[in-house]
Each structure stands twice: as C-alpha cells, then as structure tokens.
Amino acid sequence: MGPIKGDLLKKELSVFTFKDLLEHFPYRHIDKTEIKKIRDITPATDYIQVAGRIISCELTGEKRGKRLVAILKDDTGLLELTWFQGAHWIQKNVRVGEVYIVFGRVSFYMSNPQITHPEMEIFSQEKSEGRAFLEPIYPATEKLKARGLNGRQIGKLVFTLMGLLNEKDLPENLPEQVIHSMQLPARYEAFSQIHFPKDNEEYQRALYRLKFEELFLAQVRLGLIKSNRHRYTKGVVFDQVGTIFNNFYNTRLPFSLTGAQKRVLKEIRQDTVRGYQMNRLLQGDVGSGKTIVALLSMLLAADNGYQSCMMAPTEILAQQHYTGLKTLLADMPVEVALLTGSTRLAERRKILAGVAEGKIQIITGTHALIEDTVQFQNLGLAVVDEQHRFGVAQRAKLWNKNAIPPHVLVMTATPIPRTLAMTAYGDLDYSIMDELPPGRLPVTTVHRYENARSQVMDFIKAEIQKGRQAYIIFPLIEESEKLNYENLMKGYENVKAYFPEPLYWISMVHGKMNAEQKDANMQRFVSGDTQIMVSTTVIEVGVNIPNATVMVIESAEKFGLSQLHQLRGRVGRGGEKSYCVLLTGSKITTDARERLKIMCATSDGFVIAEKDLDLRGPGDIEGTRQSGMLNFKLASIVQDKHLVDLAKQYAEKLLSDDPDLSMAVNLKLKTYLQTQKGQTSWSKIS
Ligand code: ADP
Ligand code: MG
C-alpha cells in the first residue's frame, strides 16, 4: 500500500501495525453468492448487494449540493448511486458501460431507492475463487471510502495479510486447560475464521473465542494487580480491637447491625490485620447503612493508634458526616474535625496542626482533605464516600498521605452493575451490602403528568398535616448555570404559591449559594422549621432526614436511573410510609418512559443498575473510571454477561493455582501479557 493510503489508515482507523489490522474486525459478512434484484428493494431493505451495468455517471447540483450520481441497471430496474465526497476521484475511476457488483445501505429519496457511497467492484466470475465464501465487510470512514479504501478493500488487505501469516505468528496465549475445557478454537484458527469464515458456525466459534480471550486477559491482569498489591504493597496493621471500638459498639451504637454490615465489617477487619494495604470497594444500596460501617472502621483505626479521614463529594455531606460523628461519638475520647473549602483560616490552621500532631483522630471533609497542606501524623484509613465524583488522580493523592499507604475504603452512592464492577473495578477488594436495615417500608413510586400537579401538591399538604416533610427537586441543566438558577427560581415561586407563609415554610438549596447559606437552609429543614425543601440535585447524595416522606422530582425525564434512585433514597429512611412522585410533561421519549417505568416497578438498586446498563450501555454509566478496561473490541459487558462471568471464574482459578504465572503451562499467557505493554498503568489506584 502506498504512503497516502497508509497514512489514511492510521488517521482514520488507528491501524498502525499488522496487529492493528488483524484486530480491525469485520462488522458483518455478506454471502457473495447472493445477488439481489433491484426490483426486490423495499422500504424495509437495509443492506443489499446487486449487480448491473452502469449506464451513466454525472456530476450534478451546485456548490454544497454538488454530488456524483450514477445509474445502475439490471434486468429488473434502475438504482441510483450517489457520492458526496471524492466525487471527482470516483468519476475518473468508474467505467460507464461496465457491469459492477454493488453493495451498500439503501435509502429512499423522493420514494426512489438509492445507495449513498456504495462499495463497488467490477463483476467477474473468477473473483470469488480463492476467496472465502462469506466475505467480510469492515468498518471504514467516508474519507477512506472516498479514497477507494472501503470496507471491502480493507478486507483484501486483511486477506493478503492472513496469507502471509501462519500458526507461529499467532501463537496461543490461553492455557491449554482453558482452551480445552471451554472448547475454544486455537488462536490462529480464530483469527482466520473471524475474518474469513467457512460458514456462520465457524464464525460464531471464532467470535466466542476472541471475546472470551479479551475478557479473560482483562480479568487476569486485574487479578494480578490485586494479588500483587496483597503481597507486595505493605499496609498498616490494625490488630487491636480496643476500648474505643468496643465501647462504641456495646454502648453507643443506636441499633444492631444488619447481617450485611457485620459481614462487611468482618471483611474489613480481616483485610486490615494482614499487613498489606486494603483497597476495598463497598457497594451498597441507598440507605443500606454504609456510613456506620465507615465509622466503625475508623474507630478500629483509632484503637490501633492511627488517624482516619472520610472524604465526601459535597460540603453538605461532609457537614452531615461531621454532625453525625460528633453526635454518635459525644463524650468519647475521639477527636473529630471538619475541613472543607469554606473552613475559616484560623480554624483551618488549628485543624491542620491538630492533624499533623495526631491530636485529631478522625477528620471528615471535602476534597480539601487531599490538599498538600493536610499532613497527617499517621493516616491509617481513608474512606471515600460516594466515590464516583472523585477522579483517580485525587485518590492517588490519598495514597501518598502516609509513608505506608493508608487502607482505602471506597463507598459507592448506588450499586454499579455487576459485570461493570467486575471489569472496571476487578482489581479492588470488593464488598456488597445487599440488605437494608429492618423496618424500612418500601417507597411507593408513581409517575404523574404535569396536569396532575395540583393533586400532587395537595398530597404534600396532607403529609405535612401529619407532621411530615417533603423534597421538591429540580433538574440541573448542564449547559447553563444561569438557566438552572432561573428554572429553580420559577419552581420556587410556583411552590410558594401553593404553600404560602406563614402556614408553610420552605427551605431552598442550590449550587449558587455559599456553604453558610446552604447550611442554614439545610439546618432549618433538619430541625423541622421548614416543611419543604426545594433544591437542585445538590441534595442528591447521602442526605439523611428520616422525617421526610415525600420526594417530588420535577422534569423527572431529565434524570438518569441511578440519579433517580439516589434521589428517591432520600425518603423512606424513617418508620413512616414514604412516596416518590416523578413529574413529567406529556411528551417524553421512549427511553425516558422506560426509565420511569423501571423506577415505579422496583426499588432494588442492584436491579436498577442492571437495567441502567442495558438501557445506556457501559460508556455512560456513572462510576466508570478511566474506562480503558471497558474498551473491548469484541466483547460487550452488556450482551456478554455470561462470558464475563466465565472469564472471571477461569481467571480466578488460574491465579489461585499459580499467582505468579510461573508454571510452565502458563508460560504462553505470561509471555503474551508481557508483550502487551501499557495496559495497566492507571490501575494501581482504587
Ligand atoms: P447509605 O448507605 O445510603 O450511606 P446511611 O449510612 O446514610 O446509608 O444510613 C441510612 C440510615 O439508616 C441512617 O439513618 C442510619 O442511621 C440508619 N441505619 C444504618 N444502619 C442501620 C441498622 N443496622 N439498623 C437500623 N438503622 C440503620
Ligand atoms: Mg451515604
């Protein structure tokens, strides 16, 4: 191939090497023997292959409407072929009068079928000889197509390349045992068949093998990172369960722990006693009681003479953690402090000194905690609450706050889909809290249209009459802060019209307020001075006001599932029956309708997380960190859940038998992994 086309391949498809080309997989295969008639084209036709004579080929249109139009004729009719790009090049090369075989996606223009930017080549009988029966079609871009490198021609390159290769060039990288028990075709075989399959069955086998390979290699890599950390990253040792922990547990804990909380606590204790660093992801549904698990872990650290910190994504939350800790730990010999961006200078100095001297044992706060000025005497545990708001780099800073990296406990705001967690967080230790504290009544959720607004407001009045409180949430419109504000203010006025002072009092919290204003408004709601909280989603995570029983979400169609679930989690936290009303206009998309339906049907965060992944695909899910691990070429963690499971099982078995991959049977795998550089640089961090 010449340098120009070569450059295009690099630019357009990131194909730099033979390996890249081999891993540029076809998106479909066409049966070359199947040539349709133009007459057979219907509005339902998508891709079609026809053969016919080009009877004309001319440039038409002016300026921006300029295009090349060719007419293809077979014995049943005419078909228009159109090019908007590369028209001159095509015109020079297309031979009028010649018979072509043409392939492409059919569209209709003024009820006439046409193919835009078709793939075509001169028809000849012997062409198909020596070729695969099923011809691969490869992803190509308009630019490539305009340069004569369409999905078919890329296939010719791959075909040539495959001809140069043999089994030695594509050696096996999976252990014999895995190949055997999964009944997978050999690697070379799989590459041949995924490009040029003998038949569909062979293609499926090849696809299966290569998908499994991707997932399995990812799991092995993650497993290696994890086991290396377990063996080589030194951690501080919490081997004492002392008076602080025990006193609190036996005399202050206001309830008994759920089974799930006990189990997770045990996992944390086992992890922190061994002398390697814990790097644990705690997945729990909204309201499952993660905070108390964090607190108990921090007391464990204190008993062992170590400091801990708990980092929250917002000031409101940090404040709430602080107040909660202060109350729970009142009169106990544990010094607690709060550090946020708005902590006053004098106070800040005092706190920084206290942390540096080790006087303060537990510090909560926002990301102010990771600033360089915060120096601990001996940080033993860092808790990160509602983790998806923090980036990897920020968390890396936590690691460096102690000579021996502190144990890290990362708590999610809402559950993450299982297969996603396995692939994106597979290198972390992993705990699940899938049990809510006893006595929680399920939250009744309904979807109401705008025209039911006054009934909804009446309902809120009735609840307030009973002594309850309500949230009314407005969506954030990302593009414009000003719009958000106006939107909220309009909403606020509207709510006020329904709930006039002095009969009712309303709190409002939004992103434009400073911390003090937010706090004052929150406090009035917490103390019951106000009955209604009007807010943007700043309230979303973590806020805990058990007396609130109604959550109204305005323009609910604008929210994602996990956000809706998180918001709904703000009610149903006390002993009273709670309600969530999803308000929308009458026109909503099918996707939005589906989300609202799911919300009304279930309150299980783990189920919702799975549905969310199905609806949105992995790219959009919150909580996916740097998603290198999710960029599989073939496998999909949505469609191939079963394979993800299998890959994980096989990888775990392999690493438990041979943690260093030092056995001869795993040599091929080890060698292969070593040749694949740069895959894991980000993943040392929780
Ligand atoms: P989340 O997991 O969403 O962060 P929280 O930690 O805020 O949940 O806990 C939610 C509420 O449940 C809090 O009011 C907390 O005091 C309460 N809680 C936690 N654990 C228990 C338990 N074992 N029994 C009863 N209530 C509990
Ligand atoms: Mg929480």
Side-chain angles (χ1 to χ4, degrees):
M1 159 182 309
I4 294 178
K5 281 187 180 174
D7 275 348
L8 265 180
L9 267 191
K10 289 178 200 166
K11 271 206 205 94
E12 298 287 303
L13 298 176
S14 297
V15 170
F16 289 85
T17 63
F18 283 172
K19 176 174 182 287
D20 294 337
L21 186 58
L22 272 182
E23 291 179 357
H24 187 64
F25 296 110
Y27 62 91
R28 74 197 303 262
H29 290 83
I30 49 166
D31 187 341
K32 247 207 128 175
T33 58
E34 193 179 45
I35 293 173
K36 289 270 174 43
K37 294 295 179 193
I38 291 174
R39 186 183 51 204
D40 297 337
I41 295 174
T42 71
T45 310
D46 58 347
Y47 286 91
I48 196 165
Q49 176 165 261
V50 291
R53 199 173 298 282
I54 295 285
I55 56 173
S56 71
C57 183
E58 273 158 21
L59 281 167
T60 69
E62 291 290 313
K63 293 201 171 139
R64 294 184 61 219
K66 205 160 184 173
R67 61 191 194 277
L68 181 69
V69 176
I71 304 293
L72 184 85
K73 180 179 186 302
D74 73 0
D75 51 6
T76 70
L78 302 176
L79 177 65
E80 205 176 284
L81 310 175
T82 313
W83 291 266
F84 295 97
Q85 281 164 27
H88 289 286
W89 192 88
I90 302 278
Q91 194 181 28
K92 254 197 294 187
N93 286 278
V94 167
R95 285 188 234 155
V96 177
E98 194 75 63
V99 176
Y100 280 87
I101 181 161
V102 171
F103 172 81
R105 188 199 280 277
V106 178
S107 57
F108 281 82
Y109 182 71
M110 316 260 256
S111 76
N112 289 321
Q114 61 170 28
I115 299 181
T116 306
H117 291 189
E119 303 185 349
M120 52 196 292
E121 60 186 322
I122 289 178
F123 184 77
S124 78
Q125 291 299 349
E126 63 273 26
K127 262 277 162 64
S128 51
E129 281 169 27
R131 283 278 198 92
F133 174 69
L134 288 168
E135 190 184 337
I137 304 294
Y138 293 82
T141 63
E142 294 305 328
K143 264 203 185 125
L144 285 169
K145 286 183 195 168
R147 285 307 185 130
L149 260 179
N150 62 33
R152 269 190 172 165
Q153 273 123 5
I154 292 172
K156 288 180 193 162
L157 291 177
V158 180
F159 188 75
T160 310
L161 177 57
M162 276 316 286
L164 297 171
L165 301 177
N166 61 39
E167 272 154 65
K168 281 207 295 297
D169 300 307
L170 286 167
E172 193 48 69
N173 57 5
L174 300 179
E176 186 68 42
Q177 209 275 323
V178 175
I179 299 269
H180 182 76
S181 108
M182 288 281 297
Q183 303 193 348
L184 303 173
R187 189 150 191 268
Y188 173 79
E189 183 63 17
F191 270 101
S192 318
Q193 292 296 324
I194 199 160
H195 289 289
F196 306 104
K198 213 169 71 215
D199 52 36
N200 187 45
E201 200 182 320
E202 285 303 317
Y203 172 74
Q204 294 301 338
R205 265 165 55 78
L207 185 63
Y208 187 78
R209 137 100 212 196
L210 292 172
K211 280 183 176 180
F212 177 82
E213 178 186 315
E214 273 190 313
L215 294 167
F216 176 80
L217 293 176
Q219 290 299 328
V220 171
R221 280 194 196 100
L222 291 165
L224 282 172
I225 294 166
K226 186 152 125 185
S227 70
N228 281 341
R229 189 178 63 244
H230 286 186
R231 287 181 304 154
Y232 305 123
T233 306
K234 230 175 127 193
V236 295
V237 179
F238 297 169
D239 54 359
Q240 309 287 323
V241 182
T243 49
I244 301 176
F245 185 98
N246 281 328
N247 268 347
F248 180 83
Y249 195 90
N250 295 324
T251 66
R252 307 290 176 97
L253 192 61
F255 35 70
S256 44
L257 295 184
T258 64
Q261 286 170 320
K262 284 186 188 157
R263 193 185 64 235
V264 172
L265 208 59
K266 210 163 157 190
E267 287 166 352
I268 292 171
R269 285 195 39 202
Q270 283 168 355
D271 265 14
T272 51
V273 78
R274 279 182 209 161
Y276 66 72
Q277 189 216 18
M278 174 181 81
N279 206 352
R280 180 167 289 277
L281 179 71
L282 171 53
Q283 275 227 68
D285 205 348
V286 179
S288 59
K290 295 182 287 283
T291 319
I292 204 78
V293 171
L295 171 58
L296 286 163
S297 310
M298 294 196 289
L299 296 183
L300 188 65
D303 264 339
N304 288 275
Y306 286 98
Q307 296 170 291
S308 25
C309 68
M310 174 138 110
M311 195 155 79
T314 64
E315 295 230 356
I316 291 179
L317 266 182
Q319 173 73 49
Q320 181 183 287
H321 281 326
Y322 176 69
T323 318
L325 290 175
K326 280 295 252 194
T327 319
L328 284 168
L329 298 174
D331 320 323
M332 288 198 55
V334 184
E335 194 67 35
V336 184
L338 171 70
L339 185 73
T340 71
S342 60
T343 306
R344 296 260 175 272
L345 195 63
E347 176 74 4
R348 172 179 301 262
R349 283 213 186 99
K350 226 175 76 195
I351 290 172
L352 291 180
V355 172
E357 288 161 18
K359 245 177 58 202
I360 292 169
Q361 285 128 306
I362 295 179
I363 183 160
T364 73
T366 54
H367 46 256
L369 288 175
I370 57 177
E371 277 164 24
D372 294 335
T373 47
V374 186
Q375 296 288 336
F376 289 84
Q377 193 200 39
N378 59 358
L379 182 64
L381 170 68
V383 180
V384 182
D385 194 12
E386 323 292 5
Q387 69 90 26
H388 65 251
R389 307 225 171 165
F390 292 104
V392 179
Q394 288 176 308
R395 278 177 264 141
K397 282 193 154 186
L398 278 176
W399 278 55
N400 298 324
K401 292 250 174 237
N402 204 48
I404 297 177
H407 298 300
V408 178
L409 179 65
V410 170
M411 307 196 290
T412 62
T414 54
I416 303 166
R418 202 175 43 86
T419 48
L420 184 70
M422 263 156 66
T423 40
Y425 302 96
D427 54 334
L428 302 191
D429 310 301
Y430 186 65
S431 292
I432 284 191
M433 289 208 323
D434 49 2
E435 184 185 349
L436 295 183
R440 295 270 172 82
L441 296 166
V443 177
T444 298
T445 304
V446 294
H447 172 201
R448 291 285 180 269
Y449 292 103
E450 185 57 41
N451 60 14
R453 175 174 295 274
S454 63
Q455 282 101 301
V456 173
M457 295 302 144
D458 286 346
F459 178 73
I460 296 181
K461 281 185 183 159
E463 283 292 298
I464 292 176
Q465 196 71 47
K466 290 194 247 165
R468 307 282 94 81
Q469 290 164 285
Y471 294 98
I472 302 178
I473 305 291
F474 288 83
L476 283 172
I477 304 156
E478 268 176 25
E479 305 84 67
S480 150
E481 217 179 305
K482 188 153 163 283
L483 258 180
N484 284 335
Y485 188 70
E486 280 170 10
N487 200 35
L488 182 71
M489 285 308 156
K490 251 191 4 229
Y492 177 67
E493 291 306 323
N494 200 329
V495 174
K496 244 174 130 173
Y498 279 102
F499 300 92
E501 293 172 2
L503 223 50
Y504 303 94
W505 298 97
I506 305 172
S507 279
M508 179 163 64
V509 171
H510 58 77
K512 273 202 168 172
M513 288 176 165
N514 65 29
E516 266 156 43
Q517 290 171 308
K518 280 184 197 164
D519 196 43
N521 273 287
M522 273 310 288
Q523 280 313 323
R524 295 208 304 146
F525 191 60
V526 171
S527 62
D529 289 348
T530 58
Q531 300 93 351
I532 298 173
M533 165 63 80
V534 172
S535 159
T536 52
T537 46
V538 286
I539 217 75
E540 179 185 341
V541 266
V543 171
N544 189 30
I545 296 163
N547 189 49
T549 55
V550 188
M551 166 65 62
V552 175
I553 304 176
E554 299 269 356
S555 307
E557 76 277 11
K558 296 214 171 94
F559 293 87
L561 266 178
S562 74
Q563 223 182 356
L564 288 173
H565 179 60
Q566 181 57 239
L567 283 168
R568 177 169 62 183
R570 299 308 107 213
V571 295
R573 306 193 135 231
E576 307 294 336
K577 174 81 191 145
S578 294
Y579 306 87
C580 176
V581 183
L582 308 169
L583 267 179
T584 73
S586 53
K587 272 191 276 176
I588 51 176
T589 64
T590 358
D591 264 11
R593 200 175 297 278
E594 186 62 25
R595 286 199 297 275
L596 300 175
K597 215 169 92 193
I598 292 166
M599 285 301 294
C600 296
T602 179
S603 57
D604 184 328
F606 288 90
V607 173
I608 290 173
E610 293 296 331
K611 299 268 188 198
D612 202 16
L613 182 60
D614 290 345
L615 280 181
R616 293 202 291 168
D620 289 331
I621 302 288
E622 288 173 50
T624 60
R625 54 179 173 173
Q626 216 162 324
S627 51
M629 272 298 161
L630 300 174
N631 282 339
F632 296 116
K633 289 210 165 81
L634 292 168
S636 146
I637 62 169
V638 181
Q639 269 117 50
D640 303 311
K641 283 183 188 151
H642 175 63
L643 261 187
V644 178
D645 277 335
L646 279 172
K648 168 110 175 153
Q649 284 166 27
Y650 275 96
E652 272 177 356
K653 169 91 174 63
L654 177 97
L655 290 176
S656 85
D657 293 347
D658 184 13
D660 286 318
L661 301 184
S662 53
M663 283 155 62
V665 286
N666 295 325
L667 185 66
K668 288 175 194 158
L669 173 62
K670 188 176 188 175
T671 313
Y672 182 82
L673 286 174
Q674 280 165 349
T675 59
Q676 306 291 301
K677 307 178 293 257
Q679 301 265 10
T680 52
S681 49
W682 48 268
S683 32
K684 222 185 134 210
I685 311 301
S686 57

